[in-house]
Amino acid sequence: MSAAASDSVGVSTGSAAFTPPSIDGNLTGKHIVSVEQFARPDLDELIRVSADLRTRVRTGDQSVLKLCRRRIMATLFFEASTRTDMSFQAAMLRLGGEVVATAGGVQFSSVYKGENLADTVRAAASYADVVVLRHPQVRSSWEAAFALDQLASRLGTRSVVISGGDGVGEHPTQALLDLFTIIDFKGSPDGKTVTLVGDLANGRTVHSLAKLLALYGAHDLRLEFVSPESLRAPQGVIDYVKARGVDVHETSSLDEVIGGSDVIYWTRVQEERFADRADYEAIAGDFVMTPDVLARASASAILMHPLPRKHEMGTEADHAVLDNDPRSVYFHQMQNGMYMRMALLAGVLGAHE
């Protein structure tokens, strides 16, 4: 998306007027815009449902197709996406629902005639039961939720929004699938050391996962934040997890921590977040995961990555070796995204198992 197009879809003050509802044991009819909506019982139930849906899909249980039959999901992606976009579409189709989007993507929507975000979201919600939104502005999904609550009061029908990522802010569904994957492979975050590596300043996946792990209330959890000095995690994220009893350590030395890590969460330096390419190139190669680096990790550790990957995981030859290492679980993580999003869609639409 061009800078000019991005400027034309700014977020209004509606986000300041919206408070995300706590899940409190019931997803039905609720917008999903922040990990802070979830408590541990909600997360445990969501992971249980995700795992159940995974089993049912893999065993060919056709009753899954009835869960969201005749329900419609609209997608509005103002930033590039492969996994989030396609996994949401696949999730809705596997639940028996339908998917609508603007022909040719949002670049052919009324946004390019100058329409604001709130009106674009209202239009999508007028035709769909749930809207999945990715947007470059922080708290854009809050703005969308506020607009849809206003629309519901006028139309008498309700549609909900699920965030597919908002700039450098949050990516709640990615954090949920990451937690699902950690529990899949490590049983629980309790007593674990989770090491977050790379662009921690701009990485919304890292921000959301760190907060979600803190909200989960894991006992004796340690978070290692490893990054160049210029890409340290926001102080607000550090303060948030510390306030919830998580042991936090920040460093620029991977060698300090990799051997004691149970979970290694690798991220790319996000070129699209840099206004000056020279700034990006100055630090892009600071942390590169290669087979030699992974060899320094424990045999029981797991390597995660939200993908896509570029040079931060070495060459294509390095990729081939890493992909075959049993500690690399990023493809499981990728597929878990579909099952987690199935659980979320079924939940917000009030589908019953």
Side-chain angles (χ1 to χ4, degrees):
M1 188 176 198
S2 68
S6 179
D7 289 343
S8 71
V9 290
V11 178
S12 80
T13 55
S15 61
F18 177 75
T19 300
S22 296
I23 301 306
D24 197 23
N26 183 13
L27 282 163
T28 303
K30 292 179 179 174
H31 307 293
I32 306 300
V33 298
S34 174
V35 296
E36 295 182 51
Q37 295 174 251
F38 294 88
R40 183 161 184 159
D42 305 317
L43 296 169
D44 285 336
E45 177 62 11
L46 195 54
I47 289 168
R48 184 197 68 78
V49 173
S50 300
D52 179 64
L53 287 168
R54 179 173 62 189
T55 298
R56 293 168 69 183
V57 168
R58 289 178 174 179
T59 57
D61 183 349
Q62 295 299 299
S63 68
V64 175
L65 290 168
K66 299 177 181 177
L67 290 174
C68 290
R69 188 169 54 188
R70 292 193 288 273
R71 309 304 291 274
I72 296 175
M73 180 186 81
T75 60
L76 290 173
F77 277 66
F78 294 87
E79 289 187 313
S81 173
T82 299
R83 277 149 290 276
T84 302
D85 187 4
M86 291 183 69
S87 66
F88 263 115
Q89 292 189 53
M92 192 60 171
L93 294 172
R94 287 187 180 278
L95 291 166
E98 304 289 339
V99 180
V100 296
T102 54
V106 293
Q107 63 266 39
F108 293 101
S109 74
S110 291
V111 163
Y112 281 72
K113 300 176 184 178
E115 183 174 61
N116 64 27
L117 175 66
D119 281 351
T120 300
V121 172
R122 289 185 187 109
S126 295
Y127 317 128
D129 303 290
V130 58
V131 178
V132 179
L133 173 69
R134 170 171 286 187
H135 192 278
Q137 297 295 323
V138 173
R139 289 200 171 184
S140 51
S141 56
W142 296 42
E143 164 74 9
F146 180 75
L148 294 194
D149 285 348
Q150 288 184 315
L151 184 69
S153 69
R154 298 297 302 273
L155 297 185
T157 58
R158 181 167 180 77
S159 184
V160 298
V161 65
I162 299 178
S163 172
D166 59 351
V168 299
E170 283 202 62
H171 196 346
T173 67
Q174 178 71 46
L176 290 165
L177 74 90
D178 290 340
L179 178 62
F180 180 25
T181 304
I182 290 170
I183 290 174
D184 245 1
F185 283 90
K186 304 306 292 184
S188 167
D190 291 337
K192 303 300 190 297
T193 295
V194 178
T195 297
L196 308 167
V197 186
D199 185 352
L200 308 187
N202 299 300
R204 61 192 171 198
T205 61
V206 171
H207 304 164
S208 290
L209 178 58
K211 292 166 70 175
L212 192 67
L213 285 167
L215 287 164
Y216 192 73
H219 303 296
D220 194 25
L221 170 68
R222 181 177 175 85
L223 291 182
E224 300 280 4
F225 290 87
V226 185
S227 71
E229 184 65 28
S230 61
L231 294 177
R232 291 178 62 178
Q235 192 60 45
V237 173
I238 299 297
D239 292 343
Y240 186 94
V241 298
K242 282 184 174 179
R244 285 154 182 80
V246 176
D247 185 17
V248 171
H249 177 231
E250 294 182 86
T251 181
S252 59
S253 173
L254 180 64
D255 284 340
E256 262 184 47
V257 301
I258 190 169
S261 302
D262 299 292
V263 177
I264 304 164
Y265 193 95
W266 211 263
T267 67
R268 69 185 176 93
V269 177
Q270 300 184 54
E271 182 178 357
E272 65 271 27
R273 306 294 179 204
F274 287 78
D276 187 335
R277 181 172 176 81
D279 292 340
Y280 162 75
E281 291 177 343
I283 47 80
D286 281 5
F287 290 101
V288 178
M289 170 55 72
T290 65
D292 286 343
V293 173
L294 189 56
R296 301 201 292 272
S298 164
S300 62
I302 59 171
L303 175 63
M304 300 176 66
H305 193 306
L307 301 176
R309 61 183 172 183
K310 293 173 69 176
H311 55 76
E312 81 284 358
M313 293 189 83
T315 64
E316 289 192 11
D318 291 327
H319 293 179
V321 176
L322 291 170
D323 293 351
N324 285 312
D325 192 303
R327 293 171 292 182
S328 298
V329 302
Y330 34 82
F331 296 138
H332 300 82
Q333 181 184 356
M334 179 172 64
Q335 190 177 65
N336 277 348
M338 180 181 68
Y339 299 119
M340 175 57 70
R341 288 163 178 143
M342 287 177 71
L344 283 168
L345 287 167
V348 300
L349 294 174
H352 300 288
E353 295 182 68

